[in-house]
């Protein structure tokens, strides 16, 4: 059975979290790292925005500063996310791996399959909803985003352990101020979390175990816990310093 | 003239378009296309924006310019179609009514 690496990198700030994902992507493309699944968290809580989004149109930057919330632009497309009580995963694997469909939407579906199996392991029935969501009873529990560079796939996404929509929209701008209250009420209806579903929070480690099994089942592999290599640490420092912490990057759109 | 226009295609992602255009010549001077969509490779957005500059603000011209940029850069777009983007670009102008009578 094929062995992939599992990384549990714990809490990091937004710049470093995004830098680690890109470092793994880069290292794997250079054959310096095995296929990797990573579980991580954010400290401080942070906003990430999609590659194509405008930082100033999506994020109340002053409010982020007041509350000590990080903000960062991702190398993946998709929407703005408030990373608070959640498990964030990433997977890095060659585009040519036999388990990865070459069609992008199909590969979203396949990787989300691992998350869906993981949620099932804690008693939650969910389903993939194109383009990039996972839903429980029609409500979003997970958002996902994928990029492909140097013939390598990076997909990362969130699984909501708990959700605070009111705080989320003090930090994120709503599309239309005039209907702000209605918009927020609508989001509250359309988003769920493990806490909402089960009536209690789940520990990060317990959720990580369930998701680890989910990835193993979906891809018929064994995940073996490991660490970032020295090269990856160097790449991560480089990407953190020269990309993700730079104004030019975060404000570029 | 400047417009900002949001367009959410059915089953697609939000397009937020900032457009600067010449009313008399009816051409795009500058355009920024932002939103929660996906383009592969991501750098293709810059090609798209660059190639749209100086394009006539007519449905056919916009459609052809966007399509040829997608083809020549092998772009895969998820979240909107070429028609959606054309509609998003013209939507702000139609809403503001500045060129409707010309």
């Amino acid at each position: 059975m094929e062995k992939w690496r599992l990384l549990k990198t714990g809490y990091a700030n937004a710049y470093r979290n995004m830098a680690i994902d890109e470092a793994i992507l880069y290292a794997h493309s250079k054959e310096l790292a095995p296929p990797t699944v990573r579980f991580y968290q954010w400290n401080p809580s942070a906003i990430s925005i999609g590659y194509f989004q405008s930082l100033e149109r999506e994020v109340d930057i002053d409010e982020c500063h007041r509350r000590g919330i990080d903000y960062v632009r991702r190398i993946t497309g998709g929407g703005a996310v408030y990373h608070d009580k959640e498990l964030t995963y990433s997977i890095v694997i060659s585009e040519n791996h036999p388990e990865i469909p070459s069609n992008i939407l199909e590969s979203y579906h396949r990787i989300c399959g691992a998350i869906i199996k993981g949620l099932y392991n804690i008693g939650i029935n969910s389903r993939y909803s194109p383009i990039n969501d996972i839903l429980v009873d029609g409500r979003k529990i997970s958002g996902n985003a994928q990029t492909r560079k140097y013939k390598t796939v990076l997909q990362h996404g969130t699984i909501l352990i708990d959700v605070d929509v009111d705080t989320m929209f003090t930090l994120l701008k709503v599309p239309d101020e005039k209907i702000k209250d209605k918009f927020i009420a609508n989001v509250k209806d359309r988003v769920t979390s493990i806490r909402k579903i089960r009536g209690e929070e789940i520990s990060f480690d317990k959720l990580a175990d369930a998701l680890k099994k989910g990835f193993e089942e979906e891809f018929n592999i064994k995940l073996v816990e490991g660490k970032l290599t020295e090269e990856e640490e160097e790449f991560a420092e480089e990407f953190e310093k020269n990309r993700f912490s730079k104004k030019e990057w975060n404000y570029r759109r | 003239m400047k417009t900002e226009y949001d367009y959410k295609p059915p089953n697609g992602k939000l397009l937020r378009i900032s457009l600067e255009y010449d009313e008399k010549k009816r051409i795009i001077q500058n355009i920024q296309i932002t939103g929660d969509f996906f383009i592969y490779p991501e750098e293709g957005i810059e090609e798209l924006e660059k190639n749209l500059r100086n394009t006539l603000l007519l449905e056919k011209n916009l459609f052809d310019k966007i399509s040829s940029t997608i083809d020549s850069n092998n772009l895969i777009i998820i979240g909107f179609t070429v028609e959606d983007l054309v509609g998003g670009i013209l939507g702000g102008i139609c809403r503001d009514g500045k060129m409707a009578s010309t």
Side-chain angles (χ1 to χ4, degrees):
Chain A
M1 189 183 286
E2 207 178 310
K3 285 180 181 155
W4 294 1
R5 179 176 58 165
L6 175 66
L7 291 176
K8 288 191 194 169
T9 54
Y11 284 97
N13 70 39
Y15 306 151
R16 179 158 166 83
N17 269 335
M18 292 297 90
I20 293 173
D21 274 355
E22 187 168 1
I24 302 167
L25 168 70
Y26 187 64
H28 187 65
S29 77
K30 300 273 179 205
E31 298 184 355
L32 295 170
T36 298
V37 174
R38 173 185 173 220
F39 298 140
Y40 58 104
Q41 289 170 285
W42 306 67
N43 187 29
S45 297
I47 302 285
S48 77
I49 60 165
Y51 181 90
F52 305 102
Q53 291 188 300
S54 155
L55 179 68
E56 286 165 293
R57 284 187 80 173
E58 302 295 335
V59 180
D60 187 333
I61 294 163
D62 292 341
E63 191 60 27
C64 285
H65 287 160
R66 273 193 289 274
R67 290 177 180 246
I69 302 290
D70 280 352
Y71 49 88
V72 70
R73 178 180 304 278
R74 301 190 304 268
I75 56 171
T76 51
V81 180
Y82 172 45
H83 302 278
D84 187 22
K85 289 183 177 166
E86 64 171 40
L87 182 152
T88 317
Y89 78 90
S90 61
I91 175 172
V92 170
I93 187 162
S94 167
E95 218 175 20
N96 300 321
H97 192 285
E99 294 287 343
I100 297 298
S102 56
N103 177 284
I104 290 172
L105 269 185
E106 283 172 24
S107 67
Y108 269 104
H109 194 166
R110 189 69 206 279
I111 296 169
C112 287
I115 305 303
I116 290 164
K117 286 191 167 69
L119 288 172
Y120 185 76
N121 290 335
I122 55 166
I124 293 175
N125 281 307
S126 61
R127 66 177 182 84
Y128 170 66
S129 171
I131 299 164
N132 56 329
D133 293 337
I134 297 171
L135 309 181
V136 176
D137 291 331
R139 296 188 174 94
K140 180 165 165 175
I141 193 163
S142 165
N144 305 272
Q146 183 186 126
T147 185
R148 294 179 174 210
K149 286 188 198 312
Y150 337 111
K151 305 225 169 285
T152 309
V153 174
L154 161 67
Q155 182 166 314
H156 45 204
T158 66
I159 296 97
L160 288 169
I161 293 174
D162 196 1
V163 62
D164 178 353
V165 175
D166 290 312
T167 301
M168 189 188 296
F169 287 104
T170 62
L171 302 163
L172 295 179
K173 291 181 178 168
V174 297
D176 184 352
E177 265 313 303
K178 294 193 288 286
I179 52 160
K180 183 170 182 171
D181 292 346
K182 197 178 154 205
F183 180 86
I184 292 173
N186 191 12
V187 173
K188 283 181 182 170
D189 265 354
R190 289 187 292 110
V191 173
T192 190
S193 67
I194 293 173
R195 185 197 166 94
K196 263 196 192 174
I197 295 161
R198 294 173 31 132
E200 56 179 7
E201 275 190 32
I202 190 170
S203 75
F204 180 87
D205 288 337
K206 207 168 166 190
L207 178 56
D209 283 344
L211 291 168
K212 172 179 180 261
K213 289 194 194 87
F215 275 94
E216 290 177 333
E217 290 159 7
E218 179 67 33
F219 292 107
N220 194 30
I221 47 124
K222 176 107 184 102
L223 278 175
V224 181
E225 201 163 338
K227 317 189 285 190
L228 288 169
T229 65
E230 269 178 41
E231 285 114 335
E232 286 171 311
E233 286 286 3
E234 282 167 27
F235 298 149
E237 274 173 39
E238 164 76 18
F239 291 136
E240 179 177 351
K241 191 169 146 228
N242 292 323
R243 188 201 297 281
F244 295 107
S245 63
K246 285 266 197 246
K247 261 201 159 176
E248 293 85 345
W249 169 257
N250 289 314
Y251 282 82
R252 64 185 282 163
R253 301 182 77 71
Chain B
M1 274 296 297
K2 282 187 186 185
T3 65
E4 300 233 326
Y5 188 68
D6 288 358
Y7 175 60
K8 167 89 166 63
N11 299 317
K13 297 292 190 182
L14 184 65
L15 282 165
R16 316 191 85 169
I17 294 167
S18 306
L19 185 69
E20 285 172 46
Y21 64 98
D22 184 317
E23 273 176 275
K24 284 195 186 119
K25 295 184 192 155
R26 306 177 62 145
I27 58 165
I28 296 177
Q29 291 164 319
N30 211 351
I31 183 165
Q32 191 174 46
I33 305 158
T34 70
D36 59 352
F37 47 82
F38 298 90
I39 300 179
Y40 301 90
E42 286 79 6
E43 295 75 21
I45 189 72
E46 272 108 44
E47 285 299 309
L48 214 44
E49 289 172 347
K50 190 179 79 194
N51 290 352
L52 277 166
R53 273 181 227 144
N54 299 317
T55 303
L56 262 178
L57 283 159
L58 292 173
E59 216 172 298
K60 181 170 186 324
N61 298 55
L62 293 169
F63 189 95
D64 290 348
K65 189 57 72 72
I66 296 163
S67 302
S68 66
T69 306
I70 290 171
D71 289 346
S72 57
N73 293 280
N74 291 315
L75 304 183
I76 297 171
I77 297 179
I78 298 178
F80 65 86
T81 64
V82 177
E83 289 86 348
D84 292 332
L85 181 53
V86 172
I89 293 169
L90 294 174
I93 298 167
C94 295
R95 178 199 57 197
D96 299 349
K98 297 293 181 197
M99 291 206 323
S101 59
T102 56

